[in-house]
Amino acid sequence: MANIDNISDELLAAYLEGNASADETMQVLDALQTDDILRETLDTALSIDSEEDTHEVLPMMPEHRKGKRTNGR
């Protein structure tokens, strides 16, 4: 994925995290207009991030840690 239309992995990551400068942001936005692969890469990254936000991590209950099951199962 490195240097897609002169957009490095680091620049794309900074853009996604909101850490790109105004000039860097414009560089990414300009590239997105013409680079299908960069758009697909961005869409994939955003969908993965969105999926991670929707999954709630629940702590394991003590009975599950010991391999015990409840409700007779």
Side-chain angles (χ1 to χ4, degrees):
M1 177 172 60
N3 295 324
I4 300 172
D5 201 16
N6 295 321
I7 304 299
S8 68
D9 292 343
E10 292 80 14
L11 177 53
L12 187 57
Y15 172 78
L16 288 168
E17 295 169 356
N19 295 326
S21 69
D23 288 339
E24 291 169 332
T25 298
M26 289 306 300
Q27 183 181 357
V28 172
L29 293 175
D30 287 343
L32 285 168
Q33 292 181 23
T34 60
D35 191 328
D36 293 337
I37 295 172
L38 182 61
R39 277 195 305 274
E40 289 177 23
T41 301
L42 182 65
D43 287 344
T44 300
L46 291 173
S47 70
I48 290 170
D49 187 51
S50 175
E51 289 174 10
E52 288 176 354
D53 289 343
T54 61
H55 289 87
E56 184 178 343
V57 178
L58 300 174
M60 290 182 66
M61 299 303 291
E63 61 270 10
H64 291 118
R65 277 189 238 138
K66 295 177 185 175
K68 295 180 183 176
R69 294 183 175 196
T70 58
N71 297 333
R73 293 183 191 178

